Amino acid sequence: MAVGAQTLREQPTLVQTPQAPGDEPMPALARFRVAHGLPVQPRHVIYSRHCDLDLDLPVFRTPGVEVLVVTTAEGAAALSARGAAARGVTVLAEPVSEPAGLRRAHARLFAEHGVRYLDCEGGQRILESLHAAGLLDEVFLDRDRLHGGGRGTPG
């Protein structure tokens, strides 16, 4: 799962897991994910150029959720200074403002972290960047959210 930093700022309680907190466990889904070499909880990839992220948000505190932040060298330094490593946050620093840098970041996600498929629940800025880098295969639009009638869930 992936989001842009702005989406996370607009939805600070967002943690994209197969089940909502308090739902009954789904052991069959957990077994399936583990049998296919996946973590029980999907990895969360957050794209942020400047990393003005609040490390106290639930996504950074949910047990079992691995967070990878794709950012610039400056963003990586800012996260490091705020203790991202102690929170278990993995930071990939590349010049992501440029299409080639974003492609390198995705190559690293694949090679270093085993990310094979990425569902980006992003807004316009991240989708434009992914498109410019030639990294989008499909785009799904939520018509309700386009017309301002969002349901309060990621679209």
Side-chain angles (χ1 to χ4, degrees), residues 20-103:
D23 283 356
E24 290 295 316
M26 297 174 20
L29 178 59
R31 282 192 305 274
F32 174 86
R33 290 184 61 82
V34 170
H36 288 85
L38 300 168
V40 173
Q41 298 293 343
R43 293 177 192 101
H44 285 56
V45 176
I46 300 170
Y47 298 95
S48 179
R49 290 183 182 151
H50 307 290
C51 285
D52 51 346
L53 300 168
D54 179 354
L55 295 179
D56 288 325
L57 292 177
V59 71
F60 298 108
R61 295 183 289 111
T62 302
V65 172
E66 178 185 0
V67 178
L68 301 107
V69 177
V70 176
T71 186
T72 61
E74 296 81 12
L79 278 180
S80 178
R82 293 199 321 269
R87 294 280 176 118
V89 176
T90 300
V91 179
L92 286 79
E94 293 288 346
V96 295
S97 299
E98 305 164 10
L102 196 51
R103 285 192 296 273

Side-chain angles (χ1 to χ4, degrees), residues 73-138:
E74 296 81 12
L79 278 180
S80 178
R82 293 199 321 269
R87 294 280 176 118
V89 176
T90 300
V91 179
L92 286 79
E94 293 288 346
V96 295
S97 299
E98 305 164 10
L102 196 51
R103 285 192 296 273
R104 279 194 303 278
H106 274 244
R108 289 182 60 196
L109 286 169
F110 184 89
E112 298 170 18
H113 302 282
V115 174
R116 298 294 182 260
Y117 302 99
L118 196 57
D119 172 22
C120 183
E121 303 278 345
Q124 182 176 347
R125 191 174 311 146
I126 188 58
L127 290 176
E128 285 176 350
S129 296
L130 292 169
H131 178 68
L135 295 169
L136 288 180
D137 304 321
E138 298 177 281

